[in-house]
Each structure stands twice: as C-alpha cells, then as structure tokens.
Amino acid sequence: MPYQLLFVCLGNICRSPSAENIMNHLINQAALGDYIICDSAGTSSYHIGSPPDARMTKAASLRGISLKGQARQFQVKDFENFDLILAMDYDNYESILALDRTRQYQDKVKLMCEFCRYHSVKEVPDPYYGGPEGFNRVIDILLDACQGLLEYVGSQPQLKTM
Ligand code: 4NP
C-alpha cells in the first residue's frame, strides 16, 4: 500500500492544493510515485468544486509548478484513508481534531510547518485577502516543508524497502 498524505487548509484553493502539487513534483523527481500518494481538502465548504485560486496558480507557475485539482471538503472518513494529515495552520489543525470524536486519529494530524528546515514559522499564512507577496511566501514555505516531509515519509517503516 502506498503511503497516503492529505494536505488541509480552509478553502482548498490556495495553500493545500499548492502543498499537494509541490509534494507531487518532489515525489516525481525522486521517482517515488508508486510509493507516496497525495490529496488535499478544505475544512470549509466555501469553495467545493472550484479549481485552485488564479493568484495561487500564478505564484506556483513562477516556480515551475502547475496546480491541478478541484476543491473538496475534509470528511471524517479521511481519518481512516490517510496515513498523515497535514494542517496548514492552527485553526485548520483544531478543526480537523474536533472531527475526530473518538480521538483515535489524533497522532495522524500534524502541522505542515513542523517539517520546515529553513523557515521558523509555525503556520502557512492564509494569503487569501492579501497581495501577491503572500502567495509567493506560501510557495517558499511549502517548498521547504515538502522537502522535510519527503525525508520524513521516506524514513517511515512502510517505505524503508523502496
Ligand atoms: P486556503 O485560502 O485556505 O489556503 O485555500 C483561503 C481560501 C478561501 C478563503 C480563505 C482562505 N475564504 O475565506 O473564502
């Protein structure tokens, strides 16, 4: 079974689709596509069915990453289906944990910025109501966090044989 990662933000149109597509980019570079699978979701229902935000898509394309996807809302069954759930900020983290009524999946949920090696931020800042620099910063932070995450996942027992 491949290792399954789920990236989660509020709307699933800016930060989490960027994280998903950046991670897929790194996974493909490392030829690990058969071993690690990525998806993303939002804690809100605001943008269900929408493609990634055009401003986010532009910032990603400047770094050679194209954003694919269609927003969906996080579902309780995601707790079972994914090995690791990465929240972009504390609010998303709390919203996800609140849906785990039996408290059996708490260890699967982590903050994305735990995996940053060069950035000291604790959250991926919400860029939605700001200017282009906020979107560029999201990409910078996520490139850092995704590198760290790839190393972490590569060290998991399930992937040791790759
Ligand atoms: P995301 O950004 O959570 O990174 O997708 C946002 C998208 C939409 C809204 C807020 C943040 N909104 O309020 O509609």
Side-chain angles (χ1 to χ4, degrees):
M1 270 288 275
Y3 197 89
Q4 309 226 45
L5 296 170
L6 182 66
F7 300 96
V8 182
C9 61
L10 179 64
N12 193 210
I13 55 169
C14 297
R15 294 164 292 175
S16 61
S18 299
E20 176 190 353
N21 284 280
I22 289 171
M23 195 66 188
N24 276 331
H25 184 78
L26 299 180
I27 288 167
N28 291 336
Q29 275 183 345
L32 292 174
D34 289 342
Y35 304 95
I36 310 170
I37 287 180
C38 301
D39 192 9
S40 65
T43 54
S44 77
S45 60
Y46 305 155
H47 297 278
I48 291 174
S50 297
D53 185 284
R55 299 163 296 170
M56 197 72 253
T57 300
K58 185 176 176 204
S61 76
L62 291 172
R63 312 301 287 274
I65 313 271
S66 63
L67 297 189
K68 301 179 196 108
Q70 200 180 28
R72 72 166 179 93
Q73 190 169 20
F74 181 87
Q75 298 174 298
V76 170
K77 72 170 194 260
D78 290 323
F79 284 122
E80 273 176 53
N81 295 344
F82 290 88
D83 296 292
L84 198 54
I85 297 166
L86 289 315
M88 297 298 131
D89 64 30
Y90 288 119
D91 280 351
N92 309 143
Y93 180 77
E94 294 299 337
S95 302
I96 297 163
L97 290 187
L99 291 169
D100 175 22
R101 303 252 178 220
T102 56
R103 299 184 61 83
Q104 56 181 317
Y105 299 112
Q106 310 270 304
D107 292 345
K108 283 190 177 186
V109 188
K110 295 187 190 297
L111 278 164
M112 187 66 181
C113 288
E114 275 182 38
F115 297 95
C116 279
R117 290 179 295 191
Y118 302 104
H119 291 77
S120 54
V121 289
K122 300 283 181 226
E123 305 182 287
V124 184
D126 182 347
Y128 194 70
Y129 292 106
E133 68 288 346
F135 291 88
N136 295 332
R137 180 146 175 77
V138 166
I139 300 294
D140 283 338
I141 295 169
L142 290 176
L143 280 166
D144 184 5
C146 284
Q147 291 278 3
L149 180 61
L150 187 60
E151 269 189 29
Y152 171 81
V153 174
S155 72
Q156 294 303 291
Q158 285 164 262
L159 271 94
K160 273 286 169 62
T161 51
M162 72 196 184

